[in-house]
Each structure stands twice: as C-alpha cells, then as structure tokens.
C-alpha cells in the first residue's frame, strides 16, 4: 500500500463511527417515515383491535370462544381470562403472514428500491463502503422487525387491558403467575418473535441485492415466504421441515409454559442465526461485487 | 472486511473482467462455507455428544429386576418423548371422533383425561411429568401453542386443556387409584406392565449399558421365547443409581421402527416446585365435574397393548406372550376399547381381512403389534400374536 493510499484510507475512516451512526439514523427515519411503512404498521396495529373486539362480542353472553372447540389462533380462548393473552394471540395471528410480509416488503426494498430509484449510486459515492452500507441496511430491517412486533404487542396490550380483565394469569400449564411476571414474559415473547424474523430479513436483503427493481424483490421475498410455509405443511416433506425458517416460529408459545420448554425456542433462534449468516454473507458477496450502473 | 470497503467504493468502475469474476466466486465461497459449517455442526454435535456407553459394574438380570422393584423414587420431574407406531391407518380427523366416542362415558369435555390421553395411541408426543410423593403428580401433554395438564394434588384431580380453556375436575378416593386409570405414558408405566408378565416364557438379559437423558443406565432386554407372538423384543433402560426405568422400546418381530418408544429426554430427581401442583380454574373456564368415578373408570380406554390381558370379564386363552384375550361383543361394556363399538363397525369392516377356519368366518384387523379377530358370530379374539396364532386360538376356543 503506497503512502498516498494509506493517508486516503485513513482520511476516509476517521469520521466513521459517528458517520455510520448518522447514516443508520437517517436510514431508520427514512424507512419509518415512508407511507408504505406507516400503512404496514397501521395494519399490524389493527389486527389486535379486530381480534379483541371479535372475542368481546362473541363472549358477551359468557359463552366460550369458538364454541369451546379450541379453534383459531393459539391462546384465543384464554383472552377472556386475562387481557394479556391478547398479546400472545395477536402475535400468534400475525406471525405466520402479516409480520413476515411487512418485513419482506421493507427488506426487499432495502437495496433494490434504492437501485430502482437511482439513489444507490449516490449512497455509494459517499465514503460509506458497500459492506457498511449493507450492514446499515440490515440493521434497519432488524430494527423494523422489532418495531413491527412491538406495534402489535403494544396495541394488543392496550386493547386487552381495555376490554378484558387483567391481574394474575394462568399459564397454559395450569399454574398461576403474577401480572408483572406475565408482562415480563410478554416482553420476552415480543423479543423472541422479533428475533424469529431475523432469518427472513436476511433472505429479503439477499433477494434485494439480486435485482434493481424494488417491486420484484418484495414480491420474490413474500413469494418465497409463502412457498416455504406451504412446504412446511406438506407431510411428505417432513424430513426437510426442521430446516425451514418458519418451522419453529410458533415455539414462542413455549415461553408460556411453566417451567419454560426451551428446546424448540433454542432451535428456532439457532435456525434464524444460520439463515442470517448464510443469506447475510450471500448478500455481502453479491453486493460488494455487483456492478452498480443505475 | 476493512480492505474491501474502501476498495469497492472507489473501485466501482469495471476492472479486468476476469479478476472481478474470480473475486465474486471467492466471495460466494463465504456463504457456502457458512452452510458447510452449519451442516457439519448439525451432523457432528449429536455424534460427539454420544460419548459411548458408560462403564458400570456388571449386574445380573435378576438383580436388575429387583433393582427396579425396589426403586422408590418419590420426586422426579422431566420431559418424556413418546412415539407410538402401531401401523394403524392414518385416520386423521376420524381419530378425534373415535376419541370423543370413547369419552361418551364422561360428557365430551375436551379436558376429560380419558379422551385426551387417547391421543397418545399414535404419533409422537412430548410429555412432561412431575411427581412429588404419591399425593401429588402432574402429567402434561405439550401441544403446539397449547398444553393439556392432568394434575393430581391430594384429593383433587384436575384436567386443564388450555386450547379450549376447559377444566375437568374429579376426585381421587384414595391415592394411587387414579394412577391406574390413565393409560401408560411414562417409561416406568410401560416397564411395570411388562415386568408383571415376565415368566418362563420370557428370556430376560442385561444387554450392556446406555446413556439416557444424560444418566448412566443398564439396558434390560426382554425377549419372548415363544413363537407366534408379534413382539420382537422389549428394551428397558434402567437408571443405574435409582433403578427407575428411563426408556422403554418395544420392537415388533416384523422389524422396522419401534411400536412404542417412550423415554426421558431430560430428567431430574429434585423436588418439583410446589406451585407445579397448584391449580385453580382460570376465570371464565368451563369446568366439568366428574360424573361418577366408577363409571368413568370403566370406560377408560386402555392402551393398545394389554400384555397378559389382565382385564376383568375377559377370557384369556393360552399363556405368556401368545395369550389371546377373547370376549363376546354381545355383552356391552366389556369392550376394552371404545373404538370398536357402534356405528363405526361398518367402516372398520372394510379395513380387515376375511379369514375362515373351524370356528367359522371372521375378520382379522391387523396392526404392527396387536391383531384382532372378530368372528361373524360376534366373538372377539385379540392379542399380540400373529394372524395364524389367532385363528388357531379361535379354533381351539371353539
């Protein structure tokens, strides 16, 4: 490395920490301010409201939910005991489709959207470096995973507290825990649900580096999600299923057992880690070697 | 990664094409390597964790059986994985209707233990067990996003189905009795059933050692000496320290996967938390009271294998492993399983094979373990024996 190079590299890197943070913040603000994102979050916030009102109307006369046959999303029958269960029901209802779809839209748009709008070139003219830009994009998508999950959880908590009794609650194992512990578990569940989306986010980011069309990347990501979910339901493909990213998604319910059953939770988080590593590095391989001409 | 960053930002213009091609390939090696490492980890970790069979002092089969009998484990908690593969046709939703048919002795509450635990007859299930003395026991069936708990605490027996939010309440007149009414689920339940039937028709050996749920265990191998039975071998892993059965495997003579495989995946002999056994019905839950203890018990569905056929009201032909239970369907209430009666008969008839012999004509229903012959004059012969042995027994019984 010549001296000139060394000096230049040094000059480039010096403001990095603050600069990276600034870029991340501007990314976050841009993402959250988009009408598209706000609409997605609005839909997510509306799900618990709908579920809560539906359950309230159905149980007006004291009858059980779903005729007492235990149909519908997990935990739905327990909402009438304790409003906190609306959080779990809402997450169980949104995790298979709504949440990953929202994440797919944001992740698919991350790189391809910039490329399609012609802004990716300008981002790279700034001395950010492609790897750093990619990491910032991934961090933004992960922040959105957490935000989307929390929007569902907080909306559900508010509706649940408004419409249903709160207080001590019964775990699905039949033991009782205090409301404070229940809140703690709800927070833990929200974090696990957000972490469950990390693999999906990496997949979306990788798809996003493959194309210059934001719409194509979003459609591909959401299409992949639906395909994988269908494969996860076919009994003949059982051998494959433990390696599919949505396979252990509903394991968050195991946090409501007493004692907590960790096996599937750990498998889920491990699987998400593997998907994040594989597709994250694939996105890096693709993005750092890509011709950016638009 | 640092060198790439500044490189790429500056270097966005096309270089020599071949160089960039090679570099792209080199970069894609990273995700491929990650996949490789992950696959190797998934493949190797279980192999490495299997540290081989533990070294334990030699012990005779007789001593081991005595050890099981003497075993007095009062406090235990753990996770049991149970797989049953009787080779029944996959009935799907019908299974539920069979189960609810069996529960008609109760009143159809989904929290009724007799209907709920029938689910264990097929498929793979994860159970949690906790015991603290004879007065306090808990058995939970883990389902996706829900759980079914059967809690025995002193005089009360609670069943709680979190999926439908229904509660079943019964009373245990005297402790221990309740234990017998539930189908066997833990390795100990199975082992007790089998050891009852050990006699001179059976060869019992100690078949080395094994590790089960992280504990050192002896392996007790039980093989029928008689021909004509469908039972191939039964292997019971017995905890070396406490003498408690940790794993039970029954393989059929026809080979293939085990018919019953129940084992602890995690076990602890510490006292379970007292709150485990406390149960108050949640607000808004539908509570069903047990109607009549005796009646409900009569209708309790038995598990597929009734080894020496210890049911009342039954005639047992033959002895040991080739014993065949027989009864007349004319006498209602004597049915050992709720699944054979009633309107389902016609459907079931299409599943069997027609046979004839000195006894007349009949239909044989086969599973991988239990075969049953229902003659046209309404008699039922059932046992863990081959079809031929069944016909022979029917001929002899005539």
């Amino acid at each position: 490395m010549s001296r000139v190079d060394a000096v230049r590299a040094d000059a480039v890197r010096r403001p990095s920490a603050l600069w990276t943070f600034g870029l991340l913040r501007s990314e976050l603000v841009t993402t959250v301010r988009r009408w598209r994102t706000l609409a997605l979050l609005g839909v997510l916030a509306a799900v618990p409201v709908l579920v809560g009102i539906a359950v309230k109307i159905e149980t007006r006369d004291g009858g059980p939910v779903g005729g007492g046959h235990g149909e519908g999303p997990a935990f739905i029958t327990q909402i009438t005991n304790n409003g906190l269960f609306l959080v779990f029901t809402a997450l169980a209802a949104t995790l298979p489709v709504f949440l990953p779809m929202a994440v797919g839209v944001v992740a698919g748009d991350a790189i391809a959207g910039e490329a399609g709008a012609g802004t990716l070139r300008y981002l790279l003219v700034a001395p950010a470096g492609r790897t750093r830009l990619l990491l910032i994009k991934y961090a933004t998508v992960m922040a959105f995973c957490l935000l989307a999950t929390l929007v569902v959880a907080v909306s559900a908590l508010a509706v649940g507290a408004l419409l249903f009794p709160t207080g001590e609650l019964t775990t699905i194992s039949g033991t009782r825990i205090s409301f404070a512990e229940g809140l703690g578990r709800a927070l833990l569940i929200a974090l696990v649900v957000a972490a469950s989306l990390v693999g999906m986010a990496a997949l979306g980011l990788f798809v996003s580096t493959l194309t210059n069309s934001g719409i194509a990347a979003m459609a591909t990501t959401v299409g992949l999600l639906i395909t994988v979910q269908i494969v996860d339901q076919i009994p003949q493909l059982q051998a494959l299923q433990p390696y599919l990213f949505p396979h252990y998604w509903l394991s968050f319910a195991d946090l409501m057992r007493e004692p907590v059953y960790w096996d599937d939770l750990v498998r889920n988080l491990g699987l998400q880690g593997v998907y994040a590593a594989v597709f994250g590095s694939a996105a890096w391989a693709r993005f750092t070697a890509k011709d950016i001409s638009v | 990664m640092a060198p790439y960053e500044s490189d790429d930002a500056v270097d966005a213009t096309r270089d020599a094409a071949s160089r960039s091609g090679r570099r792209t390939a080199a970069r894609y090696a990273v995700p491929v390597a990650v996949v490789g490492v992950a696959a190797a980890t998934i493949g190797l970790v279980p192999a490495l964790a299997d540290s081989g069979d533990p070294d334990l002092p030699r012990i005779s089969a007789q001593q081991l059986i005595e050890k099981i009998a003497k075993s007095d484990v009062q406090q235990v908690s753990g996770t049991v994985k149970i797989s049953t593969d009787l080779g029944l046709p996959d009935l799907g939703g019908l299974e539920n209707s069979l189960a609810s048919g069996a529960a008609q002795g109760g009143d159809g509450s989904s929290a009724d233990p007799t209907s709920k635990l029938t689910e264990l007859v097929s498929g793979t299930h994860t159970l949690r067990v906790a015991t603290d003395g004879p007065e306090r026991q808990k058995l939970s069936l883990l389902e996706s996003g829900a759980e079914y708990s059967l809690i025995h605490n002193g005089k009360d027996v609670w069943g709680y189905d979190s999926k439908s939010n229904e509660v079943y309440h019964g009373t245990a007149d005297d402790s221990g009795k309740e234990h017998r009414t539930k189908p066997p689920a833990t390795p100990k339940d199975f082992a007790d059933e089998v050891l009852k039937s050990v006699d001179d028709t059976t060869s019992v050996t100690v078949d080395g050692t094994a590790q089960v749920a992280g504990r050192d265990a002896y392996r007790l191998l039980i093989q029928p000496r008689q021909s004509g039975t469908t039972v191939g071998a039964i292997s019971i892993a017995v905890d070396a320290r406490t003498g408690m059965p940790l794993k039970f495997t029954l393989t059929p003579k026809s080979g293939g996967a085990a018919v019953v495989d129940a084992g602890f995946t995690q076990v602890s002999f510490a006292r379970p938390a007292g709150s485990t056994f406390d149960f108050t019905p949640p607000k808004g839950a539908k509570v069903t009271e047990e109607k009549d203890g005796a009646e409900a018990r009569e209708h309790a569905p038995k598990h597929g294998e009734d080894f020496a056929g210890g049911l009342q009201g039954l005639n047992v032909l033959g002895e040991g492993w080739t014993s065949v239970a027989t009864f007349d369907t004319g006498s209602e209430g004597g049915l050992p399983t709720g699944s054979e009666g009633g309107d389902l008969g016609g459907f079931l008839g299409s599943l069997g094979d027609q046979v004839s012999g000195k006894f007349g004509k009949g239909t044989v229903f086969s599973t991988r373990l239990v075969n049953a012959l229902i003659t046209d004059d309404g008699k039922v012969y059932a046992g863990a024996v081959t079809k031929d042995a069944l016909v022979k027994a029917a001929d002899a019984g005539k």
Side-chain angles (χ1 to χ4, degrees), chain B residues 280-303:
Chain B
T280 0
K283 265 179 282 177
K286 186 180 144 207
V287 181
T288 310
E289 288 291 332
E290 181 182 35
K291 254 195 210 147
D292 178 356
E295 192 204 357
R297 259 167 218 150
E298 199 90 340
H299 284 267
K302 296 283 187 270
H303 214 260

Side-chain angles (χ1 to χ4, degrees), chain B residues 21-356:
Chain B
R22 230 179 306 136
R23 212 173 46 184
T24 311
R27 286 181 184 188
Y28 273 111
V30 177
V32 173
V34 174
V35 172
V37 169
T41 317
I42 292 167
L44 283 181
V45 166
L48 291 177
D50 184 16
S51 52
D53 297 339
D55 261 335
L56 292 169
R58 286 189 154 273
I59 186 170
S60 76
Q62 191 56 40
Q63 282 170 309
L64 191 54
I65 291 176
E66 273 164 22
K67 200 179 175 91
I68 299 173
K70 259 192 285 175
S71 158
D72 185 30
V73 176
Q74 291 291 322
Q75 278 123 23
V76 66
S77 58
T79 311
V80 176
K81 200 151 235 173
I82 170 166
S83 310
T84 0
D85 180 8
L86 285 168
L88 292 166
D90 193 0
L91 297 176
L94 197 65
E95 205 177 307
N96 291 334
S97 65
L98 287 177
S100 61
Q104 268 161 11
D107 52 12
S109 164
S110 70
D112 190 330
T114 53
S115 66
K116 202 68 195 179
L117 294 175
T118 319
E119 283 175 21
L120 293 178
V121 173
S122 71
T124 300
H125 299 272
T126 308
L127 298 174
R128 271 184 161 167
V129 290
T131 304
D132 184 3
E135 289 291 304
R136 307 199 310 162
Q137 288 124 12
K138 181 170 180 175
L139 178 78
S140 320
L141 176 60
L142 271 56
E143 299 159 345
S144 162
E147 192 166 324
Y148 175 74
S149 313
L150 187 62
I151 303 162
H152 169 213
N153 190 353
K155 280 194 107 49
D156 293 312
V157 177
W158 296 98
Y160 176 54
D161 181 21
S162 89
K163 194 184 261 174
S164 59
N165 202 29
E166 284 185 17
V167 174
Y168 171 90
H169 181 228
T171 45
D173 329 337
D174 62 298
S175 51
K177 206 167 189 180
E178 184 60 30
H179 218 324
R180 222 172 301 140
T181 64
K182 72 177 175 60
T186 64
K188 185 172 163 47
D189 296 342
F190 285 115
D192 287 349
E193 285 289 327
V194 169
L195 292 177
K196 257 189 261 167
S197 65
V198 167
D199 51 25
D200 52 352
T201 62
T202 311
S203 110
V204 183
T205 47
V206 177
D207 180 33
T209 59
Q211 270 226 320
V212 178
R215 295 187 65 92
D216 296 346
Y218 290 105
R219 217 166 13 202
L220 189 67
L221 188 68
I222 298 168
Q223 282 169 309
R225 282 213 183 96
Q226 296 160 301
S227 63
T229 169
T230 50
V231 176
I234 292 168
S235 157
I236 302 171
V238 183
D239 186 37
R241 198 161 317 151
T242 61
M244 197 181 82
L246 295 177
K247 192 169 165 68
F248 175 95
T249 314
L250 191 158
T251 36
K253 198 157 240 171
S254 54
V259 170
V260 180
D261 185 73
F264 279 99
T265 53
Q266 181 258 319
V267 67
S268 151
F269 293 99
R271 177 187 288 269
S275 63
T276 312
F277 307 101
D278 291 340
F279 183 79
T280 0
K283 265 179 282 177
K286 186 180 144 207
V287 181
T288 310
E289 288 291 332
E290 181 182 35
K291 254 195 210 147
D292 178 356
E295 192 204 357
R297 259 167 218 150
E298 199 90 340
H299 284 267
K302 296 283 187 270
H303 214 260
E305 314 78 47
D306 276 308
F307 295 100
L311 288 172
Q312 304 127 325
L314 288 181
N315 288 319
V316 179
L317 309 173
E319 54 158 5
W321 297 91
T322 52
S323 58
V324 172
T326 173
F327 55 86
D328 220 313
T329 46
S331 61
E332 246 200 347
L335 283 174
T337 64
S339 57
E340 264 148 15
D343 46 350
L344 285 154
F347 167 73
L348 287 170
S350 65
L351 293 174
D353 296 333
Q354 302 297 322
V355 291
S356 56

Side-chain angles (χ1 to χ4, degrees), chain A residues 115-134:
Chain A
T119 45
L120 187 57
R121 261 194 301 181
Y122 302 109
L123 272 176
L124 290 174
V125 167
R130 292 190 183 192
T131 306
R132 193 178 308 165
L133 182 65
L134 194 70

